[in-house]
Amino acid sequence: MADNYNSTMNLPKTDFDMRAGLPKKEPGMLKEWQDIDLYNKMIAANDGKPLYLLHDGPPYANADIHMGTAMNKVIKDIIVRYKNMSGFKAPYVPGWDCHGLPIERRALEKVKADREKKGEKPHAHGEGCACGHDHSNEEENRYGVTDYELREICNDFAMHYVGVQREQFERLGVLGDWEHPYLTLTPDFEANQIAVFGEMAKKGYIYKGLKPVYWCPQDRTALAEAEIEYEEEDVESIYVAFQTVKDNGALEKAGLPVDKCWFVIWTTTTWTLPGNVAICLGPRYEYVAAKVGERFYIVAKELLEPSMEACGITDYEVVAEFVGKDLDRIETKHCWLDRNSLVIMGDHVTLESGTGCVHTAPGHGVEDYDVVVRHYPELPIIVPVDDDGLLTEEAGPQFTGLSVFKASPVIQKALAESGHLVGAQKITHTYPHCWRCHSPIIFRATKQWFCSVEDFREDTYKAIDSVKWIPAWGHGRMMGMVRDRADWCISRQRLWGVPIPVFYCDDCGEYVIDDTTIGAVHDLFAKEGSNAWFKYEAAEILPKGYACPKCGGTAFTKERDTMDVWFDSGTSWETVLGKNTPWADHQFPSDLYLEGSDQYRGWFQSSLLTSVATRGVSPYKNVVSCGWVVDGEGRKMSKSLGNGIAPEEVISQYGADIVRLWVAASDYQVDVRISKDILKQLSEAYRKIRNTARFILGNLGDFDPDKDSVDDDELTSLDKWALAELDKLVALAHEGYNGFDFHKVYHNLHRFCVVSMSNFYLDIIKDRLYVTETTGKSRRAAQTTMFRILVALTEMLAPILAYTAQEIWSFIPAFAGKQEYVVLHDIPKAGLYQLPAQESEKWDRIIAVTADVKKVLETARAAKEIGSSLEAKVVLHTDDDGLYSFIEGVQDQLADIFIVSQVELERGGGGTAGEVESLGVEVRPADGQKCERCWQYHTDVGADPAHATLCGRCAAIIGQ
């Protein structure tokens, strides 16, 4: 019989799929966006609005994207979409970092593979080689290609991955000016970079000098701090004694035999001992001479006991004490080389470890270098290590040709045999490694190009203070990094990069950087790109007749070093935001930089330094940093662990919107976890959001918003509550989006869909939607409310679920002003549907009572006292006059809210107590019979003989 009444019901109908099928749907949607140029439509729709510029930090163009780069781009897209939907014009120009060693390596591998395929072998070059190639950079040319040709291969490799990554980013739903990205290898970018370099040089910030730098023997190039990562390793720390050969009077005054006094140093880098020229003491520390057999070992008083213990010495006696400064300029003999090591003073000496007598090799350490250059300039800077990390003849014939790391145990053995080794101890410490090849690096003084950060440090501090850092600890981190950095090594001994635009005079040997040389290089690069540096001789680049300003010479040689890639990307603000930017409406500075937390030492810092050095201000107003992507257990992803998840894996199984949901659901300011279980949970959360939209769409099939919407005063109290909940959600969404806390946006959206809508409002109004008159005010009021909610909800979802929001939008009934694409709309502002305080308090009490009722209904259902909740009558018991009066005032609404057939109110105790004080809840069988149309129990079922199984309400509706 019930089936006979189905046609009289307003049952949900929609073509919006229950199953998302995102992997199949999304590509078609993306193609449509590309075909109609959705990005530019979005930007054009916001003409005249305030500008908001997120400047893209360039990913490296050398491989497929990974979950980290996917997360980065999705975060940016969420921001760009949100800003464009909240009152701003927010263009987005993506960029790529295209120079650097990894690309050069891959190019060399290709050249090598091509030659081997042809049966050709790499050939060695020497004097008189007739192959016709320039061998001044032998490593790059030993496969028979010129520098110019190799750079062309590098260019092609980089551009290939620009294309690959572009497709992968677009597949994620990222909107941007993909047809006009910025690339660090284009002529305009390189010319702008030269201009920034020239301006910094003009102000005296750029210089060439001999200083210890991080050096990668594997790649034979200098590195900057930003290119260093630290790894733990076990090493042998050694205690070495240097015999005194010349007193300054202090030892003799203490009654000590000079030739039997030995200064004991401690080091973990045994290979640096050939470069030792001094032993540094703390001028204010106390030192002692400890008698051990016939020798007198001099160490810091505070470190005597741990030093003796580490060396296994138990029998010793302190025979004299000194203050460090009293031992200044005593001379000791190097352990095996024919030179003396001077005892010097330095404020960098600490008593945290070692002996308080610091092994000083200015060719291998910045602090050593600084103390020698500033206070003991007569000491030599000795660097007995070559580009390959091999010890030279200066290290002594017995060690010549050994790699620095293989040399350490050999030197230690020799020290033991000569009597200079006092003790040794294995320790675990962190050691710097090259973040490209992951090999250990060395400190090595070489002539490099530097930017003197010290010269504009105070201005940089002011710039840091002007920025809003998110998280807030970013301010202190950047301050500390700038404080600890005196110089930035900007030169690299590699081929694939922007050349350092410097010429050397052949006559006087001095380098030349002035407006004329910079202008000539700038103009050449703007026209032909930096490959022209390798195409033309110096005389062809410089203006005719140009003469050395120092000696008048007219013959010049070009610098072979290229710039640090961080200098490349660090000047991107000039191309994208500068006066001559090709992108309309762009302006300096940007509103936002957003990258991984490693960029405090990388792009954030290099951009800040180049901008402050040339413009005196920060290139950004806000900086947001994100953490790393790790597996479900918090471990770094790696091939060896087999715990990596590629974006294409997730997209092929779940769709790009699940990747976007994962990003939004994560607190990305710390490390972000991803695993199959996490993705499965997110897909379930996605399903609930989707089903909420589907339910609403199913009940709007016959609703024309422009004709059928009711006025606000015709909405029920429940409808107004639902819209007030929407209003709260809108406020929370804006707060989350504006604070870059997208996980708060997601959690509030999800909670609204599941708790406020599916579990409460939408559940309650089913009777109104399905049972009441199709065009009646009651049903139209519910539809009006749902329509408003779905439109606002879809707009709020659009920055996160790019594809799904558009799919939902396409099913929402047309209304006046509706654009075809949701991103062309503004997210509504809060304040449209607020409830008066008294009404809001009323609903808070109703919801609290409902929660208690549902618990008792569930207990009754579990005990099989009832089946459906509509089989129940709920009796509310209270002896509290205020509560009784409140329930009495809303009693006529409660049966619908509880989704039961009847609700009665009784004074006094009884029922099951819950969270609401003085309230008891009792469940009884409902009175009457079940209506076969609305399924509620009524005492008037069958009152209409024509409809014997229907209640009076349903019979009346059908009879109309």
Side-chain angles (χ1 to χ4, degrees):
M1 178 66 82
D3 288 343
N4 295 335
Y5 293 112
N6 279 348
S7 61
T8 71
M9 303 279 281
N10 305 306
L11 298 177
K13 293 179 182 178
T14 180
D15 291 329
F16 184 79
D17 293 333
M18 178 182 291
R19 291 184 176 276
L22 294 175
K24 292 183 179 179
K25 286 179 185 173
E26 289 174 344
M29 296 176 73
L30 174 60
K31 186 177 186 307
E32 180 184 337
W33 297 351
Q34 292 168 334
D35 290 345
I36 59 102
D37 195 6
L38 181 59
Y39 165 75
N40 280 309
K41 283 185 181 293
M42 177 179 71
I43 299 303
N46 293 313
D47 276 344
K49 295 179 181 179
L51 198 62
Y52 187 93
L53 290 174
L54 185 162
H55 178 34
D56 189 30
Y60 199 57
N62 75 324
D64 290 334
I65 67 170
H66 50 74
M67 289 308 296
T69 43
M71 179 178 78
N72 179 284
K73 275 295 191 286
V74 169
I75 292 171
K76 290 171 182 174
D77 189 58
I78 291 172
I79 294 168
V80 169
R81 285 172 178 264
Y82 170 71
K83 290 299 180 182
N84 279 296
M85 297 181 72
S86 61
F88 293 91
K89 181 178 184 178
Y92 174 62
V93 175
W96 273 275
D97 202 346
C98 303
H99 290 126
L101 183 58
I103 292 174
E104 186 175 338
R105 272 216 206 99
R106 296 288 291 272
L108 284 168
E109 289 170 5
K110 181 181 185 303
V111 172
K112 180 182 177 182
D114 288 347
R115 285 188 66 91
E116 289 176 349
K117 195 178 289 184
K118 295 175 184 177
E120 300 174 7
K121 294 184 178 180
H123 56 279
H125 303 293
E127 290 187 20
C129 177
C131 72
H133 297 302
D134 173 10
H135 305 312
S136 55
N137 197 339
E138 184 179 326
E139 179 65 25
E140 284 72 37
N141 294 284
R142 60 194 297 262
Y143 295 108
V145 293
T146 65
D147 290 350
Y148 188 91
E149 290 168 338
L150 183 63
R151 284 175 61 89
E152 287 291 303
I153 296 170
C154 290
N155 182 93
D156 292 345
F157 181 88
M159 290 306 298
H160 167 73
Y161 275 106
V162 166
V164 168
Q165 291 186 6
R166 169 185 158 164
E167 288 184 8
Q168 293 170 337
F169 288 139
E170 286 194 272
R171 179 63 183 86
L172 288 166
V174 179
L175 294 178
D177 193 356
W178 295 107
E179 295 300 319
H180 309 97
Y182 79 87
L183 308 174
T184 62
L185 53 60
T186 56
D188 62 327
F189 190 101
E190 294 176 333
N192 286 331
Q193 183 175 333
I194 294 301
V196 172
F197 177 92
E199 184 64 22
M200 293 172 69
K202 191 175 179 178
K203 292 183 176 182
Y205 299 150
I206 304 293
Y207 72 95
K208 189 171 190 179
L210 176 70
K211 289 189 68 172
V213 295
Y214 296 106
W215 183 269
C216 179
Q218 176 78 15
D219 297 320
R220 303 174 79 242
T221 185
L223 302 173
E225 289 177 70
E227 297 171 297
I228 299 301
E229 59 186 18
Y230 288 85
E231 297 180 16
E232 281 197 350
E233 58 180 30
D234 296 326
V235 297
E236 192 91 350
S237 65
I238 62 171
Y239 294 79
V240 182
F242 283 65
Q243 185 177 18
T244 304
V245 293
K246 186 176 180 181
D247 190 11
N248 68 354
L251 301 178
E252 186 178 351
K253 183 178 179 181
L256 299 174
V258 174
D259 63 338
K260 293 187 178 181
C261 290
W262 299 69
F263 284 80
V264 181
I265 64 94
W266 173 81
T267 183
T268 58
T269 52
T270 304
W271 62 267
T272 62
L273 284 172
N276 178 279
V277 297
I279 298 169
C280 198
L281 313 185
R284 292 177 295 279
Y285 296 148
E286 294 180 327
Y287 287 82
V288 297
K291 191 171 188 301
V292 179
E294 297 297 318
R295 293 183 175 185
F296 298 87
Y297 288 145
I298 298 174
V299 297
K301 182 177 182 180
E302 190 174 317
L303 295 171
L304 173 64
E305 186 174 338
S307 296
M308 294 296 104
E309 182 179 347
C311 295
I313 299 172
T314 56
D315 187 9
Y316 60 91
E317 176 189 1
V318 174
V319 295
E321 295 190 13
F322 311 90
V323 176
K325 61 183 177 61
D326 295 337
L327 303 174
D328 192 25
R329 293 193 176 273
I330 288 177
E331 293 184 31
T332 68
K333 180 175 175 53
H334 192 280
C335 303
W336 70 85
L337 295 170
D338 186 19
R339 65 167 182 265
N340 290 346
S341 294
L342 188 66
V343 175
I344 62 176
M345 300 295 114
D347 291 331
H348 65 285
V349 177
T350 70
L351 300 180
E352 293 179 5
S353 59
T355 65
C357 300
V358 176
H359 153 53
T360 300
H364 294 303
V366 174
E367 289 178 328
D368 296 3
Y369 176 88
D370 288 342
V371 73
V372 166
V373 169
R374 292 179 183 180
H375 304 293
Y376 302 89
E378 72 275 19
L379 292 175
I381 310 296
I382 297 174
V383 189
V385 180
D386 66 15
D387 290 358
D388 293 305
L390 305 179
L391 293 178
T392 66
E393 291 182 359
E394 284 186 288
Q398 67 271 48
F399 308 122
T400 302
L402 290 175
S403 76
V404 292
F405 302 112
K406 290 183 178 179
S408 288
V410 179
I411 293 173
Q412 182 177 330
K413 181 181 178 184
L415 291 170
E417 292 172 351
S418 65
H420 290 86
L421 186 68
V422 181
Q425 187 179 40
K426 282 193 180 297
I427 64 167
T428 299
H429 74 160
T430 57
Y431 191 82
H433 288 64
C434 171
W435 79 341
R436 295 296 188 196
C437 68
H438 305 294
S439 300
I441 57 91
I442 61 177
F443 295 93
R444 177 171 177 261
T446 60
K447 282 194 173 183
Q448 300 290 337
W449 287 96
F450 295 94
C451 166
S452 177
V453 177
E454 198 167 4
D455 289 348
F456 54 95
R457 196 194 307 276
E458 292 302 320
D459 288 340
T460 307
Y461 289 157
K462 291 176 185 176
I464 293 170
D465 286 339
S466 73
V467 176
K468 182 177 181 181
W469 301 87
I470 304 170
W473 52 255
H475 177 275
R477 186 167 185 182
M478 186 61 81
M479 276 287 195
M481 289 193 164
V482 172
R483 187 182 301 115
D484 295 339
R485 188 174 205 172
D487 297 287
W488 170 13
C489 178
I490 61 171
S491 54
R492 296 292 179 271
Q493 290 66 52
R494 304 308 305 178
L495 192 65
W496 181 231
V498 176
I500 292 179
V502 172
F503 298 89
Y504 296 91
C505 175
D506 289 351
D507 292 339
C508 68
E510 294 294 321
Y511 63 79
V512 180
I513 311 174
D514 59 25
D515 287 344
T516 301
T517 63
I518 290 296
V521 177
H522 172 276
D523 294 347
L524 176 64
F525 285 12
K527 183 180 179 182
E528 299 187 37
S530 65
N531 275 10
W533 187 260
F534 301 87
K535 182 178 180 182
Y536 301 108
E537 296 298 327
E540 297 174 280
I541 298 172
L542 291 169
K544 288 184 178 180
Y546 179 78
C548 173
K550 296 174 184 175
C551 74
T554 56
F556 296 91
T557 303
K558 296 173 296 179
E559 171 64 72
R560 287 198 60 86
D561 286 356
T562 54
M563 290 192 214
D564 175 11
V565 290
W566 293 115
F567 199 97
D568 290 15
S569 58
T571 61
S572 59
W573 52 264
E574 178 64 35
T575 294
V576 181
L577 309 172
K579 294 177 183 177
N580 300 317
T581 178
W583 292 279
D585 296 323
H586 277 213
Q587 62 188 25
F588 179 92
S590 73
D591 292 281
L592 179 66
Y593 273 38
L594 185 151
E595 297 301 329
S597 56
D598 57 326
Q599 296 308 316
Y600 286 99
R601 63 176 184 169
W603 190 57
F604 294 159
Q605 188 178 160
S606 64
S607 299
L608 179 71
L609 295 176
T610 55
S611 180
V612 172
T614 55
R615 295 201 180 202
V617 294
S618 168
Y620 39 71
K621 299 174 186 176
N622 301 276
V623 168
V624 175
S625 63
C626 47
W628 299 96
V629 175
V630 295
D631 70 11
E633 297 177 18
R635 300 173 302 174
K636 184 178 178 181
M637 292 186 175
S638 69
K639 289 182 180 179
S640 59
L641 290 175
N643 61 345
I645 295 178
E648 58 265 30
E649 284 182 60
V650 184
I651 292 171
S652 63
Q653 183 174 357
Y654 295 103
D657 262 1
I658 299 302
V659 177
R660 297 179 68 97
L661 193 64
W662 163 70
V663 173
S666 306
D667 181 359
Y668 63 82
Q669 292 174 14
V670 296
D671 287 349
V672 177
R673 298 189 179 205
I674 189 168
S675 67
K676 292 181 179 179
D677 286 342
I678 290 170
L679 290 169
K680 188 176 180 181
Q681 291 167 13
L682 282 170
S683 64
E684 180 61 24
Y686 169 87
R687 187 183 64 81
K688 290 181 178 178
I689 294 171
R690 185 180 180 87
N691 283 349
T692 300
R694 186 173 186 273
F695 176 87
I696 294 175
L697 288 171
N699 286 284
L700 294 179
D702 64 341
F703 182 73
D704 183 332
D706 295 331
K707 295 178 182 179
D708 300 330
S709 292
V710 303
D711 295 334
D712 287 359
D713 59 2
E714 295 180 290
L715 298 175
T716 68
S717 176
L718 176 63
D719 295 333
K720 291 176 181 178
W721 171 86
L723 289 172
E725 288 296 293
L726 173 68
D727 202 72
K728 292 177 187 175
L729 175 65
V730 170
L732 290 169
H734 280 296
E735 181 184 329
Y737 278 127
N738 285 320
F740 309 107
D741 293 322
F742 309 132
H743 64 289
K744 293 181 180 178
V745 179
Y746 157 73
H747 287 297
N748 284 310
L749 284 168
H750 181 258
R751 184 184 181 282
F752 177 80
C753 288
V754 175
V755 179
S756 300
M757 292 294 101
S758 297
N759 293 351
F760 193 72
Y761 177 71
L762 298 179
D763 207 18
I764 293 170
I765 65 171
K766 285 176 182 176
D767 182 78
R768 261 203 284 167
L769 293 170
Y770 301 166
V771 176
T772 62
E773 297 171 63
T774 301
T775 60
K777 289 289 185 184
S778 175
R779 183 166 181 267
R780 290 305 193 203
Q783 288 179 309
T784 300
T785 303
M786 288 193 303
F787 167 74
R788 293 180 184 180
I789 287 171
L790 186 59
V791 168
L793 182 63
T794 306
E795 289 166 344
M796 283 184 280
L797 279 170
I800 294 172
L801 296 178
Y803 292 101
T804 302
Q806 181 55 40
E807 185 187 2
I808 295 169
W809 190 257
S810 67
F811 281 90
I812 292 176
F815 59 91
K818 183 189 180 190
Q819 301 292 318
E820 187 175 358
Y821 298 96
V822 65
V823 291
L824 303 182
H825 282 255
D826 276 0
I827 296 171
K829 293 181 180 178
L832 294 176
Y833 305 118
Q834 291 178 326
L835 286 177
Q838 187 175 356
E839 186 73 4
S840 181
E841 290 171 7
K842 179 192 86 172
W843 277 101
D844 286 346
R845 294 188 77 180
I846 289 175
I847 290 168
V849 171
T850 303
D852 280 356
V853 169
K854 285 194 171 183
K855 289 176 185 176
V856 178
L857 285 169
E858 188 56 40
T859 301
R861 190 179 292 110
K864 298 187 177 179
E865 295 171 5
I866 59 170
S868 160
S869 63
L870 290 173
E871 295 177 15
K873 172 170 69 175
V874 168
V875 182
L876 301 177
H877 302 266
T878 183
D879 54 10
D880 182 285
D881 290 342
L883 181 59
Y884 187 94
S885 177
F886 171 76
I887 294 173
E888 188 176 39
V890 298
Q891 187 174 355
D892 62 336
Q893 303 173 54
L894 294 183
D896 286 339
I897 292 170
F898 297 162
I899 314 178
V900 296
S901 290
Q902 296 110 27
V903 173
E904 292 183 0
L905 176 62
E906 294 184 3
R907 286 190 181 274
T912 302
E915 297 296 321
V916 178
E917 191 174 352
S918 303
L919 177 69
V921 178
E922 182 185 0
V923 173
R924 298 174 186 170
D927 297 332
Q929 292 178 292
K930 179 181 178 181
C931 170
E932 291 202 17
R933 184 170 180 272
C934 68
W935 292 10
Q936 292 182 9
Y937 282 71
H938 294 278
T939 55
D940 63 351
V941 170
D944 185 337
H947 302 287
T949 60
L950 299 188
C951 66
R953 179 186 64 158
C954 287
I957 291 171
I958 287 177
Q960 290 180 351

